Amino acid sequence: MSELPQGSVIGILGGGQLGRMLSVAASRLGYRCHVYEPGAAPAGDVAHSVTTAPYEDEAALRRFAEAVDVITYEFENVPTSALDLLESLRPIRPNRRALAVSQDRIKEKSFLNELGLQTAPWAAVNSEDDLRAAADRLGLPAILKTTRLGYDGKGQVKLDDETDIPAAWASMNDAPSVLEGFVAFEREVSVIAARGLDGSVACFDPGENIHRDGILRTTTVPARLSPAQRADAVLVAARILNALDYVGVMGVELFVTAHGLLVNEIAPRVHNSGHWTQQGCAVDQFEQHIRAVAGLPLGDGNRHADVVMENLIGDDVNRVPDLLKSRDTAVHLYGKGAPRPGRKMGHVNRITR
Amino acid sequence: MSELPQGSVIGILGGGQLGRMLSVAASRLGYRCHVYEPGAAPAGDVAHSVTTAPYEDEAALRRFAEAVDVITYEFENVPTSALDLLESLRPIRPNRRALAVSQDRIKEKSFLNELGLQTAPWAAVNSEDDLRAAADRLGLPAILKTTRLGYDGKGQVKLDDETDIPAAWASMNDAPSVLEGFVAFEREVSVIAARGLDGSVACFDPGENIHRDGILRTTTVPARLSPAQRADAVLVAARILNALDYVGVMGVELFVTAHGLLVNEIAPRVHNSGHWTQQGCAVDQFEQHIRAVAGLPLGDGNRHADVVMENLIGDDVNRVPDLLKSRDTAVHLYGKGAPRPGRKMGHVNRITR
């Protein structure tokens, strides 16, 4: 296992808030970051270098790869052609398989089921007829999602009864889709898990998530889980990471049900539901990811405080003046300019014990 | 009181590790930083912009000032001519008076004594005769220091007895100096205090400092102080900040003696003995300083963990691989390249409770 030397440059695909916080974490370990981002890059404010170019610009991709020692990403929808080129020049961590699996909901669910892990019941949907048959089999209500590129509630629609089928399918624009049956779950938790270059695995305590309109609102640690559920959650995450020969941090979203844990979704990157670690742990998820990517030993994930993380979405930023006055509250803003509805502008970690 | 809007640029004079950590803190509040540094600038890795130019370059200073909204510093020995020019273009926080007082040990001690605060006994020394007279009055051992530009044990020499006088004076190269009498102190503590643009004051818990060879080695919180001493320490710091109409974070080093608290030194900036706040408080000293400079409300300084901060000096960085494996330990490296004896390469915050 080779450790990245001090002063090395870590390339980050994507320049949003996750890249921004990764760059800060890398600086704490003596590394520099070079961000590649086609659009506006809040990460650029705290990065050593920024390349602003589309993922189709081969010359820019090549210069970027040659300027860095290892490549990671904050965002899993990087085009395959860009990844092919980059991978020929520098290691990409986490690896391509993790990306391929998480970029496609059907691949993801198949992978998880093959590992013996439970998911919500699902069916591939490529036509209105498929959708009808799937609705029949899984029952309604259910959620129809495009297999690719969806996040934060985009590219998905809820079907309450059969009359919703034509409009739901039409809204998919013929994109390959998947129907997910509803799961009666008690709560959603997520495990932020990490695997090092040496194969060691470390997990943070599971956090309990509340979503609204498909967007994460709060994560609370500790989650309300029995010791057995807590152990299960960690084992599920470790099984996924090991199966993928994964290097880095992964967010694993789980449904807690009367019949055990179901895997809702995996994200091969630092995850919004792990932001609480910034105030709860000596080594947060961003540093943990950088440690893994750089071949350093992982932090043990030990939590020394209880934390409630709340996202600041859209106009929530207007609460910042009050939040700045709140006791034991860490405000994290992303430097994004004007708020828009649904736009993540920052988050707050409140230390509760 | 006007708050600096999101996206504003904060200029930082000095690009060392303090500037680096200030820039990271500013990013959390949605600000960008522009670093001005004549030499190598570790802060540049996480700053939006860097100007590399000497403090005598008027054109560069002018461009820098025009590119920023407010100016602060991580380093108090900025030449007066540069400050004069910068101040004519943008607000400098903390103000010039704080700088003038802390740049000159005699001004500093006079200021403190006029405020009714105790210092070690001292005498101005401008010749070998002065030194002889001062040694006679204050007694030996004592420490001879240049009045300006000394830090981390530079520009100071200890006198054990009268035979040391000629060599000690010769080592000062005729620089205006001050002899400080020895104080029998129980321990040294420091208060990291902040004052906002609205005049409000907030202090972090005093930390207990251990120096070796004139360089800070460890700071431990909580310090071993009685409740009365703790209250006194905060009152001393507040008196200094209010008297200077100060805006920002100040490090106030205090000697704890049988006869009360003596002020050893003040530093008009974030301070090495406040690094523990990164793991001990929701709002650390770096963010606290940025909040003050930006006109935002101060954090309340509440401490939620016990912490031991240890500096990594010179070859101490060789311990990093082991430190990365230690439980509840946050490693902060400064990206400085090769270690040199006495060079601060990073620090470690160990959460002890």
Side-chain angles (χ1 to χ4, degrees):
Chain A
M1 171 168 152
S2 76
E3 297 186 358
L4 206 61
Q6 284 272 305
S8 298
V9 181
I10 297 173
I12 303 176
L13 302 172
Q17 64 267 19
L18 301 180
R20 182 174 168 105
M21 294 184 278
L22 283 170
S23 185
V24 165
S27 80
R28 282 201 302 268
L29 296 172
Y31 299 122
R32 294 168 169 181
C33 286
H34 186 145
V35 167
Y36 193 104
E37 165 64 57
D45 293 349
V46 284
H48 183 257
S49 316
V50 183
T51 295
T52 307
Y55 285 118
E56 291 71 34
D57 184 339
E58 287 191 15
L61 287 168
R62 193 173 290 278
R63 279 194 304 274
F64 167 75
E66 284 164 357
V68 307
D69 297 291
V70 61
I71 296 171
T72 189
Y73 44 89
E74 57 126 44
F75 151 83
E76 59 265 48
N77 291 312
V78 178
T80 302
S81 59
L83 293 168
D84 286 341
L85 175 58
L86 293 172
E87 196 177 31
S88 71
L89 298 166
R90 289 293 181 275
I92 299 182
R93 297 176 188 152
N95 62 36
R96 293 292 296 282
R97 175 136 183 260
L99 264 178
V101 163
S102 67
Q103 279 178 344
D104 185 305
R105 293 183 198 276
I106 290 181
K107 275 192 195 154
E108 181 179 298
K109 289 171 197 300
S110 305
F111 163 76
L112 294 167
N113 295 159
E114 282 160 22
L115 271 185
L117 302 175
Q118 300 187 77
T119 59
W122 61 276
V125 170
N126 290 298
S127 68
E128 196 176 316
D129 282 350
D130 283 358
L131 181 53
R132 243 172 246 289
D136 218 41
R137 182 161 71 82
L138 306 181
L140 295 181
I143 299 183
L144 184 63
K145 300 178 176 177
T146 54
T147 61
R148 298 180 69 89
L149 288 169
Y151 62 95
D152 284 355
K154 289 163 193 160
Q156 35 184 285
V157 57
K158 188 180 170 207
L159 287 79
D160 286 312
D161 58 49
E162 293 200 355
T163 63
D164 291 336
I165 288 178
W169 177 246
S171 74
M172 294 290 111
N173 290 314
D174 284 325
S177 300
V178 59
L179 188 71
E180 295 180 7
F182 252 62
V183 174
F185 62 87
E186 293 162 14
R187 53 186 59 98
E188 190 209 290
V189 300
S190 55
V191 177
I192 306 300
R195 190 167 174 275
L197 206 51
D198 62 356
S200 61
V201 171
C203 294
F204 295 104
D205 263 3
E208 183 165 337
N209 301 328
I210 305 286
H211 290 82
R212 202 159 66 225
D213 304 328
I215 303 179
L216 181 68
R217 292 290 159 157
T218 63
T219 300
T220 301
V221 283
R224 290 169 296 169
L225 292 175
S226 69
Q229 288 171 326
R230 205 173 294 272
D232 273 357
V234 166
L235 290 171
V236 165
R239 196 181 304 178
I240 295 170
L241 267 59
N242 286 328
L244 291 170
D245 194 21
Y246 194 84
V247 174
V249 161
M250 175 181 278
V252 180
E253 291 183 7
L254 302 167
F255 292 137
V256 180
T257 79
H259 311 291
L261 300 174
L262 269 60
V263 183
N264 178 35
E265 206 169 277
I266 63 174
R269 52 168 168 78
V270 288
H271 195 259
N272 195 165
S273 67
H275 290 2
W276 66 268
T277 57
Q278 294 173 312
Q279 263 62 46
C281 304
V283 175
D284 69 18
Q285 68 161 347
F286 301 99
E287 179 171 336
Q288 189 78 311
H289 186 75
I290 296 293
R291 285 181 178 220
V293 165
L296 299 178
L298 299 180
D300 64 7
N302 187 48
R303 176 174 60 77
H304 63 75
D306 294 354
V307 180
V308 179
M309 188 286 306
E310 183 189 3
N311 273 331
L312 301 177
I313 296 168
D315 287 340
D316 287 348
V317 282
N318 297 332
R319 289 166 43 214
V320 166
D322 282 337
L323 290 167
L324 290 172
K325 293 178 197 149
S326 305
R327 189 175 174 93
D328 286 339
T329 300
V331 176
H332 297 258
L333 300 176
Y334 305 152
K336 281 189 176 175
R340 284 197 308 261
R343 190 179 204 194
K344 290 178 180 170
M345 305 300 293
H347 67 274
V348 176
N349 287 328
R350 193 156 51 82
I351 298 168
T352 55
R353 197 186 62 92
Chain B
M1 170 167 154
S2 75
E3 297 185 359
L4 206 59
Q6 284 271 304
S8 299
V9 182
I10 297 173
I12 302 176
L13 301 172
Q17 64 267 21
L18 301 180
R20 182 173 167 105
M21 294 184 276
L22 284 170
S23 185
V24 165
S27 80
R28 282 201 301 271
L29 296 172
Y31 299 123
R32 295 167 168 180
C33 286
H34 187 144
V35 167
Y36 193 105
E37 166 63 57
D45 292 348
V46 284
H48 184 257
S49 317
V50 184
T51 295
T52 307
Y55 285 119
E56 291 70 35
D57 183 339
E58 286 193 14
L61 287 168
R62 193 175 289 276
R63 279 195 304 274
F64 166 76
E66 283 164 357
V68 306
D69 297 292
V70 61
I71 295 170
T72 188
Y73 43 89
E74 57 127 44
F75 152 84
E76 60 265 48
N77 291 314
V78 179
T80 302
S81 59
L83 293 168
D84 286 341
L85 174 57
L86 294 171
E87 195 177 32
S88 72
L89 297 166
R90 289 295 181 274
I92 299 181
R93 295 173 188 155
N95 63 37
R96 292 291 297 281
R97 177 138 182 257
L99 264 177
V101 163
S102 66
Q103 279 178 343
D104 185 305
R105 292 184 198 278
I106 290 181
K107 274 193 195 154
E108 182 180 297
K109 290 171 194 302
S110 305
F111 163 76
L112 293 167
N113 295 157
E114 281 160 21
L115 271 186
L117 301 175
Q118 299 186 76
T119 59
W122 60 277
V125 170
N126 290 299
S127 68
E128 195 175 318
D129 283 351
D130 281 358
L131 181 53
R132 245 173 243 290
D136 218 43
R137 183 158 73 79
L138 306 182
L140 295 182
I143 299 184
L144 184 64
K145 299 178 176 177
T146 54
T147 61
R148 298 180 69 88
L149 288 171
Y151 62 94
D152 283 354
K154 290 164 195 163
Q156 33 184 288
V157 56
K158 189 178 171 208
L159 286 80
D160 286 311
D161 58 48
E162 291 199 357
T163 62
D164 291 336
I165 288 177
W169 176 246
S171 75
M172 294 289 112
N173 290 316
D174 283 326
S177 302
V178 59
L179 188 71
E180 296 180 6
F182 253 61
V183 174
F185 61 88
E186 294 161 15
R187 55 187 56 99
E188 191 209 289
V189 299
S190 56
V191 178
I192 306 299
R195 189 166 175 277
L197 206 52
D198 62 356
S200 60
V201 171
C203 293
F204 294 103
D205 263 3
E208 184 165 337
N209 301 328
I210 306 286
H211 290 81
R212 201 160 67 227
D213 305 327
I215 304 180
L216 181 68
R217 292 287 160 159
T218 63
T219 300
T220 301
V221 283
R224 291 169 295 169
L225 292 174
S226 68
Q229 287 171 325
R230 205 172 294 273
D232 272 357
V234 166
L235 290 171
V236 165
R239 197 183 303 180
I240 294 170
L241 267 59
N242 286 328
L244 291 170
D245 195 20
Y246 194 84
V247 174
V249 161
M250 173 181 278
V252 180
E253 292 183 6
L254 300 168
F255 291 137
V256 181
T257 79
H259 311 291
L261 299 174
L262 268 61
V263 183
N264 178 36
E265 203 166 281
I266 63 175
R269 52 169 169 78
V270 288
H271 195 259
N272 195 165
S273 67
H275 290 1
W276 67 268
T277 57
Q278 293 173 311
Q279 262 62 46
C281 304
V283 175
D284 70 18
Q285 68 161 346
F286 302 100
E287 179 170 336
Q288 189 78 310
H289 185 75
I290 296 293
R291 284 182 178 219
V293 165
L296 299 177
L298 299 179
D300 64 8
N302 188 49
R303 176 174 59 79
H304 63 75
D306 293 354
V307 181
V308 179
M309 188 287 304
E310 183 189 3
N311 274 331
L312 300 177
I313 296 169
D315 288 340
D316 288 347
V317 282
N318 298 333
R319 290 168 44 214
V320 166
D322 282 337
L323 291 167
L324 289 172
K325 294 178 196 148
S326 305
R327 191 176 174 91
D328 286 340
T329 299
V331 177
H332 298 257
L333 300 175
Y334 305 151
K336 280 190 177 175
R340 284 198 307 261
R343 192 179 203 196
K344 290 178 180 170
M345 304 300 293
H347 69 275
V348 176
N349 287 327
R350 194 156 50 83
I351 299 169
T352 54
R353 199 187 62 92

